[in-house]
Amino acid sequence: MELHTFTLRNNLRPRALALFETLLAYCGTGLEEPELIREDERQAVRFRARPGADVAQIRRLMESAAERARREVEAPTKVVFEVQGAQGAPPDRHAEVIGRECVAIEEGLYIFGPAFTRLMRALDQVCLGLARRLGAQEYTVPAYTTWEVLEASNYVRLFPQHLTFGHVLEHDLDAVERFATARSREEQQSMTRPSPLVMLPAACLHCYTLKRDQRIDDPLLMTVVGHCSRYEARRMTYPGRLWNFHLREIVYLGSLPGAAAFRRQIVDELSALAGQIGLPCRLESATDPFFTSARAGLAFYQHASDLKYELVGALPGGDRSLAIASLNYHQQHFSQSFNLRDGAGELLHTACLGFGLERWAYWLLSHLGDDERDWPEILRDGQAPAV
Amino acid sequence: MELHTFTLRNNLRPRALALFETLLAYCGTGLEEPELIREDERQAVRFRARPGADVAQIRRLMESAAERARREVEAPTKVVFEVQGAQGAPPDRHAEVIGRECVAIEEGLYIFGPAFTRLMRALDQVCLGLARRLGAQEYTVPAYTTWEVLEASNYVRLFPQHLTFGHVLEHDLDAVERFATARSREEQQSMTRPSPLVMLPAACLHCYTLKRDQRIDDPLLMTVVGHCSRYEARRMTYPGRLWNFHLREIVYLGSLPGAAAFRRQIVDELSALAGQIGLPCRLESATDPFFTSARAGLAFYQHASDLKYELVGALPGGDRSLAIASLNYHQQHFSQSFNLRDGAGELLHTACLGFGLERWAYWLLSHLGDDERDWPEILRDGQAPAV
């Protein structure tokens, strides 16, 4: 494959450059191995194109990505707390364990082994303990939501790149027979049709759906584990970025001061938890992956209004990190979408805390390995008692 | 809507009639409210057709369903054990609790409440306890599998009616923008394309995928919870038949005598568990939902070879029942599909036990209500200890 170079018109500042790098994943299916380089002090992308790919179109998309990145507001990241932890660890510290415990079966799809599973289970016990201390009740939710819910919440227009849509066969004996005897996968794929279902991209959507159009007199706390899906195309290069993952959420529905108090309490809890675990991480301001042309305004507003924080764990070696939890204040966005009101008819304020369970397990396993004796005390109870 | 009647050419025997009734769900999208009746001693279906529906086509599909049903082998159901339990309960015993704890958000999709969730959690502890006693290790699996795995295992041709296929947007900034600014859902749906992923229809598929092409010297026991999807069209009329559900599986990979011993042990365990719970249920022979024209041979073979048993729980009132667990011996089907061999190069034998966690919870809640003091001892520990 021929090597190409795309040179940016103007150099981007650090935050904009990071966004540009993310957006490279959305610069066409023909793009291969894009790599950020410097040429004569100017930022550039060196890339390959698949045979038959439209290189001019790839360049046009890169120009468009640079344009979006250029409008990114260069506000400083706010750090709420930081744990230094084991900074000097080599990056491949437990590479053998990771290889054994995280087996890829497809882009972004892994089967995780017994030690990984014990860590997830232990961590979810910690989350559930926190949820119960806060007074949350637990619900069971499907791995799908509906087009209608995603439209009502505007998710479908804000984050369309994440969505995985559920298609099915016509429920008809003839169609079933034709499908079963078709000659190729392509022929079979042409027989499916859209259903009302979309894979769940965020667990808390189910909480608002359940309480839709209801008067909620007293503040409400709910907790769920959503088996969530976010398609991230070519960004899904390692077990820290999955197409499908378990998201434990604790959701608050109530007043403005209640939402603020919830957030303060969660910050304290996260800080205590991070301290007990003692690995390098920090709670910092963040923005959502808005990738449409509406991004600049939305991300700026989110940052300026202090709406989103992420607990970011550094991986061994310190070069890479991943968001393992996020704390979000939605103001009245979801209560408007789902008509959630208090006894006086006022729109509620909502907030949520989400733990990406596989990401936690990956972060912990990368630092600590699979010998339970090396794990922090609070995570050693993964082997729940057999009944 | 006009009322129509379809009269069967010959009356069907009980098992065939039950299959015919199931297949009515696959007699065209225009079919509404089909109801089995008797007219002058002859079996018939009274139905309505949606405006504009092709009634002749519906009749043709019903003829085809009757034809498939007619070939059903009328072998007697083999009952392994039976628990009588509370036979005299009224059907609507805990209707209010069920209404509160099972909230539909779409056909076959529910959000389940705190009592339901506690029952699921307690039951999964029981399953996990059993899995560990047997020596199984636990793995974490995604809610998807791949086209390739479903092709290798022949699932795609045997049960195409169940499948939900994952479609995504082109990962391209232009496509994301067009989607976000499209005028209608139909326009958006036309922009998605097939991905390599299909929603997981059975959890054990991941176990064979993980061990694919490996030599397995000693018999292996694995356990997983799959967040499984089976689309059942208009059969999804109540919370006992879901599009998406948690399936706890214990999977055996080993020798022929080992698979037989696994099955004997599971029968003993299920019998003990059913006795402790004390509600009406029985373990009986069953067949898989083969709905293509290949059904007759496959179902006969499955029944004659004793390959499938289901634990069927009766709902209060005794008229309705649902399969809450299934015990399957696959012979060498999956080891052929995935090239699973022992140290001597012989194909393995596999077997699995699956618990439908939502179905258990629905069955239990329907009989027992949401007051934990009325639940059997072994299910009272749903509130796992907070860490």
Side-chain angles (χ1 to χ4, degrees), chain B residues 3-291:
Chain B
L3 209 56
H4 304 272
T5 306
F6 169 84
T7 308
L8 278 86
R9 235 177 278 172
N10 315 103
N11 280 1
L12 296 169
R13 301 188 58 189
R15 186 184 289 268
L17 189 65
L19 173 61
F20 177 72
E21 194 169 6
T22 299
L23 294 178
L24 282 178
Y26 298 89
C27 289
T29 45
L31 172 64
E32 295 276 354
E33 304 168 31
E35 192 192 350
L36 280 180
I37 56 163
R38 290 233 167 208
E39 263 197 354
D40 305 330
E41 294 309 303
R42 288 181 64 192
Q43 293 164 349
V45 185
R46 189 148 54 197
F47 65 97
R48 293 174 191 278
R50 280 205 203 147
D54 181 346
V55 176
Q57 165 71 353
I58 291 174
R59 289 182 183 282
R60 225 185 41 63
L61 287 167
M62 285 185 182
E63 192 43 68
S64 160
E67 198 43 49
R68 267 168 229 202
R70 208 162 281 133
R71 277 181 281 148
E72 188 74 352
V73 177
E74 207 61 29
T77 300
K78 303 168 206 171
V79 177
V80 183
F81 67 74
E82 178 154 20
V83 174
Q84 293 293 330
Q87 294 288 358
D92 56 354
R93 188 168 185 176
H94 294 291
E96 186 272 327
V97 170
I98 293 291
R100 179 159 31 82
E101 289 278 328
C102 309
V103 179
I105 59 168
E106 178 56 73
E107 212 186 20
L109 232 58
Y110 290 78
I111 297 172
F112 295 107
F116 195 101
T117 301
R118 277 205 304 283
L119 279 171
M120 279 179 66
R121 203 173 259 289
L123 189 82
D124 196 40
Q125 278 300 315
V126 171
C127 299
L128 203 52
L130 167 58
R132 286 174 184 156
R133 274 203 309 283
L134 295 172
Q137 288 214 291
E138 192 181 16
Y139 292 77
T140 299
V141 297
Y144 297 95
T145 182
T146 65
W147 270 90
E148 199 276 322
V149 163
L150 295 175
E151 286 162 350
S153 59
N154 213 27
Y155 199 105
V156 84
R157 291 187 189 274
L158 290 175
F159 311 108
Q161 77 275 7
H162 279 169
L163 298 174
T164 307
F165 304 96
H167 284 225
V168 295
L169 255 181
E170 200 75 40
H171 46 113
D172 172 317
L173 284 177
D174 281 354
V176 170
E177 193 71 22
R178 275 198 306 276
F179 188 97
T181 55
R183 245 167 303 161
S184 70
R185 190 190 295 183
E186 289 64 36
E187 195 183 331
Q188 290 173 325
Q189 285 175 335
S190 74
M191 295 178 189
T192 69
R193 61 182 174 83
S195 82
L197 302 198
V198 183
M199 299 307 297
L200 183 69
C204 63
L205 287 170
H206 279 313
C207 299
Y208 316 128
T209 304
L210 184 66
K211 296 298 173 186
R212 198 169 192 170
D213 293 323
Q214 289 182 21
R215 292 284 172 122
I216 295 161
D217 289 330
D218 298 313
L220 201 63
L221 279 152
M222 305 168 74
T223 185
V224 294
V225 175
H227 208 157
C228 292
S229 285
R230 294 187 195 164
Y231 175 57
E232 301 210 44
R234 70 177 68 216
R235 297 184 73 204
M236 304 183 296
T237 52
Y238 79 118
R241 197 169 285 281
L242 301 173
W243 193 327
N244 186 229
F245 53 93
H246 291 84
L247 188 62
R248 160 66 71 182
E249 291 204 46
I250 303 175
V251 182
Y252 172 87
L253 301 91
S255 64
L256 191 152
F262 171 78
R263 208 156 64 154
R264 279 194 304 275
Q265 189 167 4
I266 294 296
V267 168
D268 290 346
E269 293 276 359
L270 284 179
S271 169
L273 177 60
Q276 282 177 290
I277 289 176
L279 293 173
C281 64
R282 56 188 209 167
L283 185 67
E284 62 181 36
S285 57
T287 57
D288 275 315
F290 304 110
F291 292 165

Side-chain angles (χ1 to χ4, degrees), chain A residues 4-140:
Chain A
H4 304 271
T5 306
F6 169 85
T7 308
L8 277 86
R9 234 177 279 172
N10 315 104
N11 280 0
L12 296 169
R13 302 188 57 189
R15 185 183 291 268
L17 189 64
L19 173 61
F20 176 71
E21 194 169 6
T22 299
L23 293 179
L24 282 178
Y26 299 88
C27 289
T29 45
L31 172 63
E32 296 276 355
E33 305 168 30
E35 192 192 351
L36 280 180
I37 57 164
R38 290 233 168 210
E39 265 197 353
D40 305 330
E41 295 308 304
R42 287 180 66 191
Q43 293 164 349
V45 185
R46 188 148 53 197
F47 65 98
R48 294 175 190 278
R50 279 204 204 148
D54 181 347
V55 177
Q57 165 71 353
I58 291 174
R59 289 181 182 283
R60 225 185 39 64
L61 287 167
M62 285 185 182
E63 192 43 68
S64 162
E67 198 44 50
R68 267 168 228 201
R70 208 163 280 133
R71 277 180 280 148
E72 188 74 353
V73 177
E74 208 61 29
T77 300
K78 303 168 205 170
V79 177
V80 183
F81 66 75
E82 178 154 20
V83 174
Q84 293 293 330
Q87 295 287 0
D92 56 355
R93 189 168 186 176
H94 294 291
E96 187 272 327
V97 170
I98 293 291
R100 180 159 30 82
E101 289 277 328
C102 309
V103 178
I105 59 168
E106 178 55 76
E107 212 186 20
L109 231 57
Y110 291 78
I111 297 172
F112 295 108
F116 195 101
T117 301
R118 277 205 303 282
L119 278 171
M120 279 180 68
R121 202 172 260 289
L123 189 84
D124 196 40
Q125 278 300 315
V126 171
C127 298
L128 202 53
L130 167 58
R132 286 174 183 157
R133 275 204 308 283
L134 295 172
Q137 288 213 292
E138 192 181 16
Y139 292 78
T140 299

